[in-house]
Amino acid sequence: FFLYHQEMIPLQEASADGFRTEFLVRLRDGDDTVPPGAFIPAAERFGLMPRIDRRVIELAFAYLDRTGLGRESTGTFFINLSGSSLSDGELFHFINSKVQEYSILPARICFEITETSAIAHLNDTIGFIERARHEGFEFALDDFGTGMSSFTYLKALPIDYLKVDGGFIQNLLDDPIDMGIVDACNRIGHAAGLKTIAEFVESDEVKDCLIKLGFDYAQGYGIKMPVPLNK
């Protein structure tokens, strides 16, 4: 396994308070790079995602230690956690041990969890988030808007960022229902005191619309392409 990353950009002047990027896992097979969609479903089926998540955490923390970015006063680095990891009672201790090993500041790390995973493991998720946030870590709820009870569960989850599902963002300009959903997600996120992120932003027109809607950050192929970590 090795890491790519994909940057996010601020859409509002008040949001320009530091560098943000998301770590993305890839699998090396000889000279080929295997995308996550080709191996994560199998890893989930065979219960391997907690091991992969731990490997990603270690690779990310090692990079932040090596570059010194994990000890800077600003900057946020997003790391995805699978639903099965949220039920891993030892993950919190593993993360804390790696923080000590690599001498990074927890405040530089934001763990991403998908809405469906959070809901499926709600009690475990809330417990894990509360313990980790007490240490200084941040949390983002990914793919927001896909669940039937999104707004209800949002009130129960102690998070910092809301990432609106890219399926709604992609059709924002052509579908008034998607426009309404995206606008509502942003307004509810801000009402809850959260920073909002739009993913799958693929054009300047969509980006300009998101600026007008008041989104805080944008991520997608029209913003920055994913690149290998050391580039």
Side-chain angles (χ1 to χ4, degrees):
F1 293 107
F2 66 106
L3 299 181
Y4 271 51
H5 75 106
Q6 186 177 26
E7 293 180 30
M8 306 171 194
I9 63 166
L11 297 180
Q12 312 297 330
E13 185 175 346
S15 302
D17 57 355
F19 177 78
R20 286 171 174 81
T21 197
E22 178 183 357
F23 292 126
L24 305 168
V25 66
R26 300 290 187 268
L27 178 64
R28 185 176 288 112
D29 182 14
D31 294 330
D32 298 327
T33 295
V34 182
F39 65 85
I40 284 184
E44 290 175 337
R45 179 179 178 185
F46 293 104
L48 297 175
M49 280 311 300
R51 293 174 61 184
I52 294 176
D53 284 352
R54 289 185 181 215
R55 181 60 179 153
V56 170
I57 290 168
E58 183 148 25
L59 288 170
F61 283 16
Y63 168 79
L64 295 174
D65 179 29
R66 183 171 69 251
T67 60
L69 293 170
R71 292 181 289 277
E72 295 288 339
S73 59
T74 61
T76 306
F77 300 86
F78 291 70
I79 299 174
N80 291 279
L81 293 179
S82 64
S84 50
S85 285
L86 298 174
S87 301
D88 179 358
E90 295 301 315
L91 179 63
F92 179 77
H93 300 293
F94 173 83
I95 292 171
N96 269 345
S97 70
K98 293 303 174 183
V99 165
Q100 300 300 320
E101 180 179 346
Y102 291 109
S103 301
I104 66 171
L105 298 174
R108 301 284 69 80
I109 304 297
C110 180
F111 290 112
E112 280 193 37
I113 54 177
T114 66
E115 179 186 343
T116 50
S117 293
I119 292 171
H121 307 83
L122 190 59
N123 290 333
D124 290 334
T125 299
I126 292 173
F128 177 79
I129 291 176
E130 288 178 342
R131 293 174 70 191
R133 289 184 86 226
H134 181 73
E135 297 297 323
F137 295 99
E138 292 188 318
F139 281 83
L141 189 63
D142 197 9
D143 297 340
F144 184 74
T146 55
M148 294 297 290
S149 305
S150 294
F151 295 156
T152 300
Y153 285 109
L154 183 61
K155 294 171 68 175
L157 292 167
I159 56 174
D160 304 278
Y161 292 87
L162 197 66
K163 294 187 78 172
V164 177
D165 183 71
F168 301 121
I169 304 295
Q170 286 178 309
N171 300 315
L172 184 66
L173 301 179
D174 303 315
D175 189 326
I177 295 178
D178 283 350
M179 174 71 81
I181 291 172
V182 169
D183 186 28
C185 289
N186 183 61
R187 290 174 182 271
I188 292 294
H190 284 163
L194 309 177
K195 299 173 184 177
T196 54
I197 303 170
E199 53 187 7
F200 290 20
V201 180
E202 299 177 351
S203 70
D204 287 339
E205 291 78 12
V206 170
K207 183 182 75 172
D208 290 342
C209 180
L210 293 166
I211 292 172
K212 292 177 182 177
L213 290 176
F215 269 78
D216 296 302
Y217 305 97
Q219 181 184 26
Y221 288 176
I223 304 297
K224 295 283 186 178
M225 294 292 290
V227 295
L229 192 57
N230 291 325
K231 291 188 177 181

